[in-house]
Amino acid sequence: MLDFIYYPVSFILWCWHKVFGLVFGESTAIAWILGIIFLTFTVRGIMFKPFVNQVRSMKKMQDFAPEMKKLQKKYANDKQRQAQEMQKLQKEHGVNPLGSCLPMLLQIPVFIGLNHVLRAFTMPPPGGGPKTENYFFSQADVHSYVSAKLFGVNLGEAVYNGVGVVSGGAANAGFQWSVLPVALPLMIVASIATHLTARHSVARQNAASATSQTAIMNKLTMYIFPLGVLVFGALFPLGLLFYWLANNGWTLMQQRLVYTKIDKEEAARKAEAAEKRATLGPKPGQKPTAPKVGQKPVQQKKNQPAQTASQKKVTKAGSAHGFAQTTPAQAAAAKAADAAAAKADGATAADKTPAVANGQNGSQENGTGVPGLLKDSTRKSGRKRR
């Protein structure tokens, strides 16, 4: 019924067994053990990309976990609306919840297929007689597997063969105490490896995103699952225990490499963001250009024409020409002051006010036409020019 699983698994195992059989001999246990281990590495190598996507998806889910908590609190009485809003939030962040489960789901068929293939080496055929084949393995390969023993124990044997779901109808049902001295160390090491893998994964979780369900799952993966491997490992054949060890060893190494790479990417993004803020912000030691406290903004007076660049240019008094230069506004103010002084002294406005030519304050008598030029220095002493 599950031949679509058994045949691919047996083919990969057959290939690696032939490779290591050329080096160590096809009937040796080391050739079969290495074949099982590299079968595990082949499957995990195929699933490497989904694993990276799983890690990135979990990282994103941890980042917006506070927003999910707000939605759960906001729509606590409306589960349908809560599910819709959470799906919308996951879609905005580009997170697929099933993506984090894909690598684990892909390993289950491989585990079932390898368990059945290893058990099938020692299961008698339905019609009786010698076993002639086992999926991709020929009769010679079956004999090679049965002859390969690790400390006198065949790789297809388990401590207990009484459970039909695991044993698959093995010939020797019941306890096999001769297998325990070889299987028990493997069960203990497999349990420790499972704990270390789960512990390393839990250490990466964000404390802000932790919930009561998350705490329960962490305890299950860190303590209950390793204990289950130690107890139920008695039902697995020796070859399957090697698969479990290789699988946990690969997972631990893969986690370290992938997590280190993601940490470097996060550090690079943070450094880039900090560099952008530094370029946009004020330079070190630069004084702020903001107005001082209590300083009033400078406003232009009403009804006052804006001054051009040529009008703003003023020559200081005591220059090389020996006269003061004023702006048009200052000239108008001076003209008004002279007119008022002329009326007060009873003099004529022509004697007291400077001549105006072409809209500028200047003198027509001296012919200079320079703005702001006084007729003569004797004007200050009250004498008329002859």
Side-chain angles (χ1 to χ4, degrees):
M1 184 176 64
L2 297 177
D3 288 348
F4 68 95
I5 297 176
Y6 302 149
Y7 274 100
V9 171
S10 63
F11 174 71
I12 298 174
L13 180 59
W14 177 84
C15 292
W16 284 114
H17 172 255
K18 292 299 181 182
V19 171
F20 291 106
L22 295 174
V23 180
F24 302 100
E26 293 187 1
S27 299
T28 59
I30 187 65
W32 286 101
I33 292 173
L34 289 176
I36 294 172
I37 291 175
F38 277 82
L39 161 69
T40 309
F41 292 167
T42 303
V43 174
R44 293 306 303 272
I46 295 172
M47 295 187 297
F48 179 77
K49 185 64 176 178
F51 176 80
V52 176
N53 295 335
Q54 172 195 5
V55 175
R56 295 186 186 278
S57 179
M58 292 177 63
K59 181 68 171 60
K60 289 182 180 179
M61 291 183 68
Q62 291 178 5
D63 291 340
F64 67 86
E67 300 181 22
M68 296 184 66
K69 287 183 179 180
K70 291 180 181 179
L71 291 177
Q72 292 175 353
K73 185 177 180 181
K74 183 177 181 180
Y75 302 105
N77 299 327
D78 190 352
K79 299 298 182 182
Q80 184 177 0
R81 180 66 183 280
Q82 181 185 119
Q84 292 176 354
E85 294 295 330
M86 291 182 69
Q87 289 178 0
K88 182 179 178 181
L89 183 64
Q90 291 170 356
K91 186 176 180 181
E92 290 176 356
H93 288 79
V95 175
N96 185 8
L98 297 178
S100 60
C101 304
L102 183 60
M104 184 179 296
L105 294 176
L106 291 176
Q107 292 181 59
I108 294 175
V110 178
F111 181 83
I112 295 174
L114 182 61
N115 174 69
H116 179 78
V117 171
L118 294 179
R119 293 283 191 180
F121 278 110
T122 57
M123 289 189 299
K131 194 172 184 66
T132 58
E133 61 180 5
N134 183 23
Y135 298 101
F136 262 95
F137 295 98
S138 63
Q139 185 176 3
D141 295 329
V142 173
H143 183 267
S144 171
Y145 181 81
V146 174
S147 302
K149 295 183 181 296
L150 182 66
F151 299 107
V153 178
N154 185 264
L155 297 177
E157 295 180 355
V159 177
Y160 183 72
N161 293 327
V163 181
V165 176
V166 181
S167 63
N172 299 324
F175 283 98
Q176 306 293 325
W177 297 112
S178 60
V179 183
L180 185 62
V182 182
L184 184 60
L186 295 177
M187 292 160 55
I188 294 174
V189 176
S191 178
I192 295 174
T194 304
H195 172 75
L196 293 176
T197 303
R199 190 181 189 89
H200 188 262
S201 179
V202 170
R204 296 284 306 180
Q205 295 181 2
N206 188 3
S209 62
T211 60
S212 57
Q213 294 83 359
T214 306
I216 294 174
M217 287 302 300
N218 291 342
K219 290 181 180 179
L220 286 175
T221 55
M222 289 179 61
Y223 302 105
I224 304 301
F225 289 173
L227 183 62
V229 173
L230 182 61
V231 174
F232 294 101
L235 306 177
F236 301 154
L238 294 181
L240 203 61
L241 290 176
F242 281 106
Y243 166 82
W244 195 272
L245 280 172
N247 187 61
N248 281 278
W250 176 280
T251 302
L252 188 61
M253 177 194 66
Q254 186 174 246
Q255 284 179 347
R256 290 184 178 276
L257 293 177
V258 174
Y259 290 159
T260 302
K261 180 181 178 181
I262 292 178
D263 289 341
K264 290 182 179 180
E265 292 177 355
E266 290 289 332
R269 278 197 291 268
K270 290 181 180 179
E272 184 179 358
E275 185 177 357
K276 286 184 178 180
R277 288 195 299 267
T279 54
L280 295 176
K283 296 181 180 180
Q286 181 180 0
K287 294 183 179 180
T289 57
K292 297 180 180 180
V293 179
Q295 180 180 1
K296 295 182 180 180
V298 179
Q299 297 181 355
Q300 186 177 358
K301 294 182 180 180
K302 295 182 179 180
N303 301 328
Q304 183 177 351
Q307 298 178 358
T308 62
S310 60
Q311 292 173 336
K312 291 181 180 179
K313 186 176 180 180
V314 180
T315 304
K316 296 182 179 180
S319 64
H321 298 288
F323 55 86
Q325 184 132 356
T326 61
T327 62
Q330 293 174 342
K335 181 179 179 181
D338 289 344
K343 290 180 181 180
D345 295 339
T348 61
D351 295 333
K352 293 292 183 180
T353 57
V356 179
N358 298 326
Q360 293 182 343
N361 184 16
S363 174
Q364 294 179 346
E365 294 183 3
N366 53 20
T368 59
V370 180
L373 182 63
L374 299 179
K375 288 185 177 180
D376 194 82
S377 60
T378 56
R379 175 178 290 275
K380 295 182 180 180
S381 61
R383 292 182 299 174
K384 293 183 179 180
R385 183 177 180 183
R386 295 180 183 179

